[in-house]
Amino acid sequence: MTVTFDLSTTTLREVNQALHAPDLAGDFVITHLAGSHNVAVGLDAPVKVTIRGHVGYFAAGMNQQAEVTIDGNAGQGVAENMMSGIVHVTGDASQSAGATGRGGLLVIDGNAGARCGISMKGIDIVVGGDVGHMSAFMAQRGRLVVRGDAGDALGDSIYEARIYLRGTAKSLGADCVEKEMREEHLTELAGLLKAAGYEDDDPAAYKRYGSARTLYHFTHDNEY
Amino acid sequence: MCGIVGLHLRNPDLYSRLGELLTGMLCEMEDRGADSAGVAVYGNEAWSPAGRGTVSLVDAADAPEAVAAALSAASGVDVAVTAVDNVLLLSAEIDSESLLAAARSVYPDVLVGGFGEDLAVLKGVGAPKALAEGWGLPDAHGWQGVGHTRMATESAVTASGAHPYAVGPGECLVHNGSFSNHASIRRDLEAAGIAFDSENDTEVGARFVAHELAGGKGVDEALSDLTRTFDGFYTLLVSNRDSFAVVRDAIACKPAVIAETDDWVAMASEYRALAHLPGVESARIWEPEPEVIYHWTRTDATQEVSA
């Protein structure tokens, strides 16, 4: 059974509280978003939630287990600090998509804005289009896949996350370098593309970027 | 925070709904700033009759009749005064700069909200919803409007600290963010003979742009110079009688969304301020890139210029 919440007649707090009920199960649809913030945050149940419209900030933040589809654009911080589950944005996402995420999969069919995957800590992010400047800034763990181009300073101060980019980066950030695409990476990337619904992409068309690890320890060469 | 909204209408059938649509946009952004607010409306006959210069005086103590008499005497032409809540809108069959000079000579201590042809600027201290209602904003007509909801961070909550800053003829600037090097730019402008109404950082940006435009530069060039001169965080909406422009700083952490249809161009800090616009479901919606100037005019197509 599908339960539908209409945000033009039900308050956001009521909707989020209903989605936090113990032993939650089933499918849910949320309509009449009008760009609301904090929609479907803090879910922790194996449910499907479909959000029909453009949302504001922090949609599906802190998600665990749930499979959330946003049928529209998302404002800043979509799926921020996600732990597990799937968040799928069919449109574009604003800045800081998937920020600090620790697990799960974030798929953005359109473009993502600046700082996509900032400080990511284990989340996987697949972006159908381009990402903005400073994406994967200080990324620590997880994978960022970009099917389009990247803006300035991709992977600035990156730790151990891996970036797969099909297009070109306007520039690479400090300590971010292109790395060899070995067999294990092609396999890993093929799995991510398949999970995100882009299995027709050729993994060999992508390049891999990661940390040169020169910022890990202080050296006088780091002075400027 | 602060909230910015702007609506540039292309379809004249919508001119009668400008105030209604702008009110919805402004009030939706009350969450981003509720200490003061302001709007600039282009083309509302009741506030800025066509063919006459208009000047806005904010929180004047004198009655409208007294102001009309004093300014008619000072300017030598018949000056009409319309009271719109806390703002007096002066108009006369002279250019707005001459009317402004008369107003400044008679009321040197009263805050000028703005001046121009076809332009009315209203601003004040208080919650945006209450201010918009007091002004009767939903009934305003026109082809273009901008608005701002302020959450003060670096200067006092006063009408002089409220946006828009409309310091050149027909010009208007609203800002979300904070300039970090405004004090030194203010000194340079003051050295060039420019006077200020407030200690506000945004006023420095507005005076800078007005100074550039007065010197013969175009909007794109003025905003490009601004990106190279000003440090800090900003999303700016800069309007003129016939144009509407948006620019963000290189970091672009202050939000901005633009939506465009055949009938209108709209900009706001957040999408929810645009959600009620007619036809938004089929609008082209995007976030402006850092240091790219997006510029629309009433006659030409869209321009995007790298700063």
Side-chain angles (χ1 to χ4, degrees), chain A residues 127-206:
Chain A
V127 179
D130 304 334
V131 294
H133 62 279
M134 298 293 276
S135 286
F137 176 49
M138 295 189 80
Q140 291 146 57
R141 204 160 66 83
R143 287 80 56 98
L144 171 65
V145 180
V146 181
R147 299 177 72 238
D149 298 326
D152 272 319
L154 176 68
D156 192 276
S157 306
I158 188 171
Y159 293 76
E160 290 307 302
R162 288 195 281 281
I163 300 171
Y164 297 104
L165 175 66
R166 186 162 67 168
T168 56
K170 202 166 171 190
S171 65
L172 297 179
D175 210 34
C176 181
V177 292
E178 186 181 340
K179 295 189 164 185
E180 183 192 359
M181 196 75 159
R182 296 194 298 268
E183 198 55 41
E184 73 226 54
H185 303 118
L186 292 168
T187 306
E188 171 178 85
L189 176 57
L192 288 164
L193 289 167
K194 185 166 189 293
Y198 297 115
E199 59 266 45
D200 291 342
D201 283 10
D202 176 10
Y206 286 76

Side-chain angles (χ1 to χ4, degrees), chain B residues 237-249:
Chain B
L237 176 56
V238 177
S239 61
N240 279 276
R241 187 178 172 281
D242 297 314
S243 75
F244 186 84
V246 176
V247 67
R248 300 172 87 186
D249 68 86

Side-chain angles (χ1 to χ4, degrees), chain B:
Chain B
M1 287 205 288
C2 280
I4 300 178
V5 298
L7 182 61
H8 172 90
L9 295 176
R10 290 168 158 163
N11 181 349
D13 292 344
L14 287 172
Y15 289 0
S16 62
R17 293 184 64 192
L18 177 73
E20 169 214 331
L21 298 171
L22 186 66
T23 302
M25 297 172 79
L26 184 79
C27 293
E28 189 63 39
M29 290 294 94
E30 184 164 299
D31 294 351
R32 297 188 62 89
D35 65 50
S36 37
V39 294
V41 174
Y42 292 84
N44 188 34
E45 275 284 325
W47 289 346
S48 54
R52 293 165 71 91
T54 299
V55 173
S56 305
L57 294 183
V58 180
D59 297 333
D62 287 6
E65 300 76 21
V67 173
L71 288 179
S72 296
S75 64
V77 295
D78 185 31
V79 175
V81 178
T82 304
V84 181
D85 200 22
N86 66 316
V87 179
L88 295 182
L89 295 172
L90 326 174
S91 77
E93 285 187 356
I94 49 176
D95 65 73
S96 63
E97 284 161 295
S98 302
L99 184 58
L100 175 67
R104 285 210 190 276
S105 68
V106 178
Y107 297 106
D109 299 324
V110 175
L111 176 66
V112 174
F115 61 101
E117 273 190 38
D118 305 310
L119 170 63
V121 177
L122 311 172
K123 59 183 178 179
V125 172
K129 283 175 187 158
L131 288 166
E133 188 181 340
W135 294 325
L137 184 61
D139 297 327
H141 295 197
W143 61 78
Q144 180 170 270
V146 306
H148 185 272
T149 61
R150 181 170 188 233
M151 182 178 287
T153 52
E154 55 64 63
S155 66
V157 177
T158 59
S160 67
H163 306 210
Y165 281 98
V167 301
E171 301 164 20
C172 171
L173 180 147
V174 290
H175 173 204
N176 174 203
S178 55
F179 294 126
S180 51
N181 61 341
H182 61 97
S184 51
I185 300 167
R186 176 189 295 261
R187 279 195 295 276
D188 293 344
L189 290 172
E190 283 173 340
I194 291 166
F196 284 78
D197 291 329
S198 72
E199 294 301 312
N200 186 280
D201 61 329
T202 303
E203 186 181 355
V204 183
R207 299 275 176 199
F208 176 88
V209 172
H211 185 57
E212 296 254 308
L213 295 178
K217 290 189 175 176
V219 171
D220 295 334
E221 204 177 349
L223 292 181
S224 181
D225 288 349
L226 183 144
T227 64
R228 280 190 293 276
T229 309
F230 282 76
D231 194 6
F233 299 123
Y234 51 89
T235 292
L236 297 173
L237 176 56
V238 177
S239 61
N240 279 276
R241 187 178 172 281
D242 297 314
S243 75
F244 186 84
V246 176
V247 67
R248 300 172 87 186
D249 68 86
I251 305 294
C253 66
K254 292 298 176 186
V257 179
I258 297 174
E260 184 172 14
T261 72
D262 290 343
D263 291 337
W264 46 260
V265 177
M267 180 271 174
S269 298
E270 300 176 28
Y271 170 76
R272 63 191 168 114
L274 310 176
H276 64 289
L277 295 178
V280 74
E281 55 285 344
S282 55
R284 177 188 168 223
I285 299 171
W286 77 100
E287 289 191 337
E289 294 285 322
E291 292 198 334
V292 173
I293 297 153
Y294 297 81
H295 185 196
W296 294 263
T297 64
R298 294 177 72 199
T299 47
D300 301 328
T302 308
Q303 291 180 46
E304 290 180 20
V305 184
S306 281

